[in-house]
Amino acid sequence: MTFSYDKLKNFTQQVFLKMGCSQEHAEQAADVLLNADLRGVDSHGVARLIGYVRLWEVERVNATPEIKVIHETPSTATIDGDRGLGLVVAPYAMKIAIEKAKVAGTGWVAIKNSNHYGIAGYHSMMALEHDMMGISMTNASALVAPTFSQERMLGTNPIAVACPTNEEPPFVADFSTTTAANGKLEILQRKEEDAPEGWVQDKEGHNTTDSGILKKGGALLPLGGDRVHSSHKGYCLGSIVDIFSAVLSGANYGPWVPPFPSYVPLPENPVGEGIGHFVGAMRVDAFRPAEDYKNHMDNWIRRFRAAKPAPGHDQVIIPGDPERASALIRMKEGIPLLQPVIEDLKGIADKFEIEF
Amino acid sequence: MTFSYDKLKNFTQQVFLKMGCSQEHAEQAADVLLNADLRGVDSHGVARLIGYVRLWEVERVNATPEIKVIHETPSTATIDGDRGLGLVVAPYAMKIAIEKAKVAGTGWVAIKNSNHYGIAGYHSMMALEHDMMGISMTNASALVAPTFSQERMLGTNPIAVACPTNEEPPFVADFSTTTAANGKLEILQRKEEDAPEGWVQDKEGHNTTDSGILKKGGALLPLGGDRVHSSHKGYCLGSIVDIFSAVLSGANYGPWVPPFPSYVPLPENPVGEGIGHFVGAMRVDAFRPAEDYKNHMDNWIRRFRAAKPAPGHDQVIIPGDPERASALIRMKEGIPLLQPVIEDLKGIADKFEIEF
């Protein structure tokens, strides 16, 4: 069943208002979630709305945060998100990064005491209209075993980088630092299909293709999969995201990162506050005239799109192409939701006595 | 056969002096190369010295570059390397990044018109003694086929990130954005062994395990290996390195990046000057008090090192551990060189009439 973008966004905004968010925060949070649905990242859109509501119910999310800059220099800031929705805290931080970049050339903001911030790409893309590169990353609760580890130590810790262009659509890379994101594994599990080799290990640290292994204490594997295919590089990437997001900001890191599901107990002896993000903006004209940069960026994209495709493929894809194509279709034809998600949203509507 | 660090470094410095480098540049270039040998990255140490000499002979490397800042803001700069050795240009750029960071909190420098810069890790580590995070990346000539591409479009485009600590040794990640670096493939080829699946494809874009396939028009694969194991993420990473290093700076990108071997013709219709790098430095106390950051960084490292190891492994490794262990041993016991490398160095000694 499909739903119009406007209606779903309006509903989502109503829900955040009912949680006590300000009009501005409710609009911002709904915009981030619906952007994920538009772009085809179904795991990070309204399907997660019930998760945020539950976190608010158990008072792990503060609907009326007083977001504060607690440390700054000309090109940096650190923000205390006051347990607010990451959907609100991260765009706030990104705006500060953009303002810093206007003056100093670049702006970099580390965020502590936040919650899940939706898709990483949304925040990085905020820089584009200012002719800036946007960078965004976040840590997340530990589901990933580093190379040679039996234990889960890192989240899927995504990185997004958005690069402005002239005539071509922007370059937008947005990816987790694991072989497979959790969402893909859940789809296989629902279909009762095996996972490919190199995606997960069991709780003893052995390879497995059991797509339900995370519920049995297993772990996702870092990008690369195994040592032979350089899983240590995925482990490095996930670690860098964790350190920038949390060790720099004062958030929790590694196995101390709070979980998204409200029923999972918080890790004991926290080493910081909430989860952490790290965002940045770089003015392209801080490096060369903007037109020069943009024309070469167009040329980069055209040359890569024109690369001779491998057998069985039509074209080399530019990062951001599939999400943009999805957004075009879904804005016109509506956003398809799975029945369990629809049930969740109906439940929320009943709870808050609003119309779905 | 092993050689002492001091003797090899002195020899290397003599060679750069004979090429016409200044005393300061010769010392700097030798320091970068020998650091690779110490750290066990044999592919990027004195084994490459003959390559630099040959590039100088065909006048692709300028031994007396006038390195210039051509654009800047409080937190950024762009540098024209004047066709100098990357071994000299990149540390120059990193020093500017560090100076910018002292004032603005962070410093970011894009570099054009440079050459191969040795190991990425060296430049990132320059930030450590200033209590700064160091970031370093470079593009390189095209050997890698993006996901769905038959054509080679990207270099192995490495990324290095160094994070300072208090009592623990620093975190230093330094990795190419491919499943396997070229050096590993060459070792297999020398032993006439097959490459694992997921490392390379043949010139038609089909999977292969032929370790000699690069010479037959084949390509390395991005980190992830194939689409099922998220090679598009490795492709994104390699692209980001290419864009930051070259589209921002005005260097050549994608298939236009000049090759390292002096006998390979330069690509036609260049889109920029030389190869590009991108380096950065972030003061940790631009985000929180340095002691807080450093104590938590120590704690991060200790917790990850204490993670329960997977079966068959002793310990989870912290990025930088193996290279540091190698450096300790080789500083004491000497640097082992393969016979072909020794022959190359003897040839250089004869050419320049210096002692090896």
Side-chain angles (χ1 to χ4, degrees), chain A residues 71 75-76 78 104 106 148 150-151 176 179 197 229-230 233 235 242 253 285-287 296 303 308 310 317, chain B residues 71 75-76 78 104 106 148 150-151 176 179 197 229-230 233 235 253 285-287 296 300 303 308 310 317:
Chain A
H71 197 104
S75 74
T76 69
T78 304
T106 67
F148 301 161
Q150 178 173 331
E151 232 182 308
S176 74
T179 304
E197 290 271 355
H229 296 87
S230 292
K233 298 178 185 178
Y235 160 41
D242 196 33
Y253 44 80
D285 70 358
F287 294 96
H296 279 288
R303 182 64 186 85
K308 190 168 182 190
I317 292 171
Chain B
H71 197 104
S75 74
T76 69
T78 303
T106 67
F148 301 160
Q150 178 173 331
E151 233 181 307
S176 73
T179 303
E197 291 271 356
H229 296 87
S230 292
K233 298 177 185 178
Y235 160 40
Y253 43 82
D285 70 359
F287 295 97
H296 279 289
W300 190 100
R303 182 63 186 85
K308 189 167 182 192
I317 292 171

Side-chain angles (χ1 to χ4, degrees), chain A residues 31-49:
Chain A
D31 199 50
V32 180
L33 279 193
L34 266 293
N35 191 262
D37 285 310
L38 270 189
R39 291 172 70 77
V41 194
D42 298 347
S43 56
H44 284 57
V46 292
R48 280 199 177 241
L49 186 55

Side-chain angles (χ1 to χ4, degrees), chain B:
Chain B
M1 210 167 149
T2 63
F3 297 82
S4 87
Y5 170 81
D6 287 335
K7 283 192 178 155
L8 261 188
K9 186 169 173 182
N10 183 54
F11 172 75
T12 304
Q13 198 172 318
Q14 296 301 318
V15 172
F16 285 122
L17 283 170
K18 285 284 180 184
M19 278 167 56
C21 293
S22 68
Q23 182 71 29
E24 185 196 347
H25 283 186
E27 274 177 29
Q28 176 65 75
D31 199 50
V32 180
L33 279 194
L34 266 294
N35 191 262
D37 285 310
L38 270 189
R39 292 171 71 76
V41 193
D42 298 347
S43 56
H44 284 57
V46 293
R48 279 198 177 241
L49 186 55
I50 192 153
Y52 294 104
V53 172
R54 286 178 180 154
L55 283 171
W56 167 74
E57 285 175 328
V58 298
E59 295 182 3
R60 289 193 197 171
V61 156
N62 174 7
T64 55
E66 207 183 311
I67 308 170
K68 262 190 273 190
V69 173
I70 53 171
H71 197 104
E72 66 181 317
T73 72
S75 74
T76 69
T78 303
I79 279 180
D80 182 335
D82 195 22
R83 296 187 301 112
L85 290 162
L87 307 169
V88 166
V89 176
Y92 182 97
M94 194 65 195
K95 281 176 198 159
I96 292 175
I98 289 166
E99 290 308 312
K100 297 259 176 199
K102 284 181 187 168
V103 180
T106 67
W108 306 89
V109 181
I111 301 107
K112 72 168 179 179
N113 211 2
S114 187
N115 280 286
H116 193 275
Y117 81 175
I119 48 168
Y122 180 94
H123 313 295
S124 67
M125 289 173 75
M126 287 173 65
L128 294 174
E129 62 178 304
H130 302 280
D131 279 1
M132 295 180 188
M133 306 260 188
I135 294 106
S136 153
M137 57 187 80
T138 186
N139 70 6
S141 60
L143 288 177
V144 182
T147 308
F148 301 160
S149 175
Q150 178 173 331
E151 233 181 307
R152 299 164 167 189
M153 298 293 287
L154 291 164
T156 52
N157 296 7
I159 300 174
V161 175
C163 303
T165 42
N166 196 1
E167 293 173 358
E168 292 293 323
F171 172 105
V172 182
D174 178 359
F175 52 93
S176 73
T177 51
T178 51
T179 303
N182 199 10
K184 283 201 189 163
L185 205 62
E186 285 171 349
I187 292 168
L188 290 178
Q189 202 191 342
R190 226 173 285 137
K191 293 194 216 161
E192 296 184 349
E193 288 178 12
D194 276 351
E197 291 271 356
W199 282 27
V200 280
Q201 67 183 26
D202 67 17
K203 74 171 174 179
E204 272 84 38
H206 295 110
N207 293 337
T208 178
T209 57
D210 178 355
S211 60
I213 200 71
L214 288 195
K215 288 183 183 162
K216 302 170 195 162
L220 290 165
L221 295 173
L223 180 57
D226 59 27
R227 184 61 184 81
V228 169
H229 296 87
S230 292
S231 65
H232 61 292
K233 298 177 185 178
Y235 160 40
C236 281
L237 284 165
S239 301
I240 291 164
V241 171
D242 196 33
I243 293 166
F244 281 22
S245 299
V247 182
L248 269 186
S249 71
N252 288 292
Y253 43 82
W256 289 285
V257 180
F260 185 73
S262 60
Y263 56 84
V264 179
L266 290 174
E268 287 176 11
N269 307 314
V271 292
E273 292 174 275
I275 80 165
H277 323 303
F278 186 81
V279 298
M282 302 198 288
R283 250 169 54 205
V284 298
D285 70 359
F287 295 97
R288 69 190 298 193
E291 283 309 297
D292 289 355
Y293 158 83
K294 286 206 238 176
N295 290 334
H296 279 289
M297 195 63 224
D298 279 0
N299 190 46
W300 190 100
I301 288 172
R302 287 171 188 151
R303 182 63 186 85
F304 274 68
R305 201 170 266 142
K308 189 167 182 192
H313 298 285
D314 294 334
Q315 204 179 40
V316 171
I317 292 171
I318 304 300
D321 277 356
E323 294 84 357
R324 198 163 31 244
S326 161
L328 275 177
I329 293 170
R330 290 184 171 192
M331 192 55 103
K332 219 186 314 178
E333 298 176 8
I335 292 163
L337 296 182
L338 295 174
Q339 201 51 41
V341 174
I342 297 172
E343 294 307 321
D344 281 348
L345 296 182
K346 279 184 185 162
I348 298 173
D350 288 348
K351 180 194 307 276
F352 287 129
E353 299 179 336
I354 52 179
E355 213 181 326
F356 178 58

Side-chain angles (χ1 to χ4, degrees), chain A residues 119-267:
Chain A
I119 47 170
Y122 179 94
H123 313 295
S124 67
M125 289 173 74
M126 287 173 66
L128 294 174
E129 62 178 304
H130 303 280
D131 279 0
M132 296 181 187
M133 306 261 191
I135 294 105
S136 153
M137 57 186 80
T138 185
N139 70 6
S141 60
L143 288 176
V144 182
T147 308
F148 301 161
S149 175
Q150 178 173 331
E151 232 182 308
R152 299 165 167 187
M153 298 293 287
L154 291 164
T156 51
N157 296 6
I159 300 173
V161 174
C163 303
T165 42
N166 196 0
E167 292 172 0
E168 292 293 324
F171 172 105
V172 182
D174 178 359
F175 53 94
S176 74
T177 51
T178 51
T179 304
N182 199 8
K184 284 201 189 163
L185 205 61
E186 285 171 349
I187 292 167
L188 290 178
Q189 203 191 342
R190 227 173 284 138
K191 294 195 217 159
E192 296 183 349
E193 288 178 11
D194 276 353
E197 290 271 355
W199 281 27
V200 280
Q201 66 182 27
D202 67 17
K203 74 171 175 180
E204 273 84 37
H206 295 111
N207 292 337
T208 178
T209 57
D210 178 353
S211 59
I213 200 71
L214 288 195
K215 289 182 182 161
K216 303 169 195 162
L220 290 165
L221 296 174
L223 179 58
D226 58 27
R227 185 61 183 80
V228 169
H229 296 87
S230 292
S231 65
H232 61 292
K233 298 178 185 178
Y235 160 41
C236 281
L237 284 165
S239 300
I240 292 164
V241 171
D242 196 33
I243 293 166
F244 281 22
S245 300
V247 182
L248 269 187
S249 71
N252 289 292
Y253 44 80
W256 289 284
V257 180
F260 184 73
S262 60
Y263 56 85
V264 179
L266 290 174

